[in-house]
Amino acid sequence: MARQGKKYTYLLLEKVSAGYLMVMLLGFPLFYHNNYIDIVQAKKNFFLTATMVYAAACLILVFLGRKKIQVWERHVPEKQEGKERIHAWIESLRLDSTDLFAGIFAAGLLVSTVFAQDRADAWRGLHGRQMGAAVMLACIMAYALLSRYTRITQAELWAYLLGSSAVYVLGICNTFQVDLLQMKENLAPEEHYFFIGTMGNLNVSAGFMAIMVPAGMALFYYARERFSKVVYSGYLFLGFTAMLCCRCDTAVVCAAAAFLAVYWPAFVSEGGMKKAQQMFGLWIAASAAVAFLRVAFAGRVYAFDGIGLFTVSWEMIAGELLLWGALQLYTRCAWKVGEPNRMCVRRILYGTLAALAAAVIAVVLVKSAGGARTDNSIWGNLKITDESGNNRGYI
């Protein structure tokens, strides 16, 4: 009976966790209160409220279960006493290195809050981005609960796909000055450029996409069924297009980092290389689509600059096609030769990529060593100024 009670409580915790995850994946990205006027405060309140309710529900279920919730295979016999029972309980918590760093982070947050000059602001986040210690600790708590009681199902996957896809569509439309939700009606005209959807401004939207799109890349990489591959392909094309339309350097840099993470293990697997190549092809197609739309709707598209302008240029797209072709040739030929030859080809590719990266860095350094930026062209934007990286550059 005790074991059945634990199973039942654990199932309830799974259902509560699934509900919270659905709310955060589908509700949080699309939630707003007073258009853009209080969007940061509205998002923060939504997250804190949902997380507190979720945590309270989990605590109530654990309390009503009368025993510490454990995975079924780690059932603790009723007669265990003393140190053995304590050790079994600690083991049931399933602590790992991520939990350790989360605990260190939480301790650091509490210490910094206690010693802050304005403790109320440090705790509640009353100004600026409003990310006080309360929000950070709520994130840690949500992680701790979800990592133990979540079992991803098709419902959560569809919530992830639909919620983030809606944000992508809004961002793409806003780039071409189509405000589907009329959220800019009480926003100053000079601010229209910076706000592109229900996640808020360019930087926040870029951060959201930099998390969601790589997750879609992982799903595509490991997909087996044809229907899943088709769905994830459409999702990635939409996500890549939105990242480019975000007009934020952060989005492009994060996309490049995600592709490096994909290709690194893929180079030793023929199937992995095919998947990576398909994703790279989707990125090139998205870049070409944005480049074409910028020409077709030149009169109503917001300006691109920096890395974003370089990424959607026809020169860059041509270069990406050449790189895709070289990698495709490697994919077709590498597994027809022996391992020593394959390693040799791999070293040549690594060396070529390293040389290209060094060349880009050298050009940036040379351009940045000159005088002030003279134009807004692709090459002109390689010069680092205070405006670079969405006003994150340093002279």
Side-chain angles (χ1 to χ4, degrees):
M1 292 295 293
R3 187 167 184 172
Q4 290 179 353
K6 289 182 179 182
K7 287 183 179 180
Y8 181 70
T9 306
Y10 193 88
L11 286 172
L12 287 177
L13 283 165
E14 276 191 348
K15 291 184 180 296
V16 171
S17 298
Y20 172 73
L21 204 55
M22 293 280 286
V23 168
M24 292 307 299
L25 289 173
L26 194 56
F28 178 80
L30 301 176
F31 176 79
Y32 64 95
H33 172 250
N34 188 22
N35 293 336
Y36 289 115
I37 300 303
D38 63 347
I39 192 164
V40 175
Q41 185 68 39
K43 292 285 191 185
K44 184 175 77 170
N45 291 341
F46 183 99
F47 168 70
L48 287 175
T49 301
T51 303
M52 291 302 105
V53 171
Y54 169 53
C58 288
L59 289 174
I60 291 171
L61 286 173
V62 171
F63 177 77
L64 293 179
R66 299 175 187 173
K67 299 179 183 295
K68 299 298 179 182
I69 303 304
Q70 300 163 349
V71 179
W72 306 319
E73 291 79 3
R74 296 184 177 182
H75 174 64
V76 179
E78 292 291 335
K79 295 182 180 180
Q80 276 191 326
E81 299 293 342
K83 292 183 178 180
E84 291 184 1
R85 193 174 184 83
I86 293 173
H87 289 319
W89 174 71
I90 293 174
E91 183 183 357
S92 73
L93 294 177
R94 292 170 287 161
L95 297 173
D96 57 19
S97 58
T98 308
D99 295 301
L100 174 63
F101 283 107
I104 294 173
F105 180 38
L109 284 170
L110 292 174
V111 170
S112 63
T113 302
V114 170
F115 289 97
Q117 291 183 346
D118 188 343
R119 293 189 183 92
D121 192 14
W123 174 254
R124 296 169 56 191
L126 302 175
H127 303 94
R129 291 178 173 84
Q130 303 188 23
M131 296 296 174
V135 173
M136 300 297 182
L137 290 172
C139 290
I140 296 172
M141 182 168 55
Y143 152 75
L145 294 171
L146 288 173
S147 64
R148 284 155 178 76
Y149 306 129
T150 301
R151 183 171 59 87
I152 300 296
T153 65
Q154 290 294 324
E156 284 82 39
L157 284 177
W158 279 110
Y160 155 75
L161 293 171
L162 294 174
S164 52
S165 293
V167 174
Y168 302 158
V169 170
L170 291 171
I172 295 168
C173 290
N174 267 279
T175 298
F176 295 92
Q177 302 185 29
V178 178
D179 185 11
L180 293 178
L181 299 179
Q182 300 298 310
M183 291 182 67
K184 298 181 181 179
E185 59 183 8
N186 55 358
L187 195 66
E190 59 271 17
E191 294 291 325
H192 286 194
Y193 174 91
F194 300 101
F195 290 85
I196 62 172
T198 52
M199 285 305 298
N201 64 26
L202 297 175
N203 293 320
V204 176
S205 298
F208 176 82
M209 295 172 191
I211 295 171
M212 293 299 181
V213 175
M217 294 171 71
L219 290 171
F220 180 88
Y221 190 87
Y222 291 106
R224 294 291 179 266
E225 297 81 7
R226 180 177 178 81
F227 177 74
S228 297
K229 293 177 182 177
V230 172
V231 171
Y232 296 145
S233 295
Y235 175 82
L236 286 180
F237 177 79
L238 189 64
F240 289 150
T241 304
M243 292 183 87
L244 292 164
C245 286
C246 194
R247 294 166 283 121
C248 180
D249 292 350
T250 304
V252 178
V253 171
C254 288
F259 272 108
L260 287 175
V262 167
Y263 271 104
W264 188 263
F267 265 112
V268 297
S269 165
E270 184 177 9
M273 277 299 294
K274 289 180 179 179
K275 289 289 187 70
Q277 281 293 91
Q278 290 167 359
M279 283 188 277
F280 192 17
L282 289 171
W283 170 266
I284 297 172
S287 301
V290 175
F292 172 78
L293 290 173
R294 289 182 67 236
V295 175
F297 299 96
R300 55 179 304 114
V301 61
Y302 288 118
F304 282 64
D305 59 10
I307 299 175
L309 176 63
F310 183 66
T311 306
V312 297
S313 66
W314 294 113
E315 294 89 342
M316 183 63 179
I317 295 170
E320 289 175 343
L321 282 172
L322 289 174
L323 177 59
W324 183 90
L327 294 172
Q328 191 70 7
L329 181 64
Y330 169 82
T331 305
R332 289 181 177 274
C333 300
W335 278 265
K336 296 180 181 179
V337 298
E339 179 62 23
N341 292 329
R342 189 158 62 243
M343 287 296 295
C344 180
V345 174
R346 201 176 300 157
R347 291 192 189 100
I348 293 173
L349 281 172
Y350 287 156
T352 303
L353 291 174
L356 287 173
V360 172
I361 293 171
V363 170
V364 170
L365 291 174
V366 171
K367 294 287 291 185
S368 301
R373 181 186 295 175
T374 57
D375 60 78
N376 195 38
S377 67
I378 295 168
W379 300 109
N381 276 288
L382 288 176
K383 179 180 176 58
I384 298 176
T385 66
D386 283 345
E387 292 76 28
S388 300
N390 300 101
N391 296 306
R392 294 187 179 92
Y394 295 89
I395 299 176

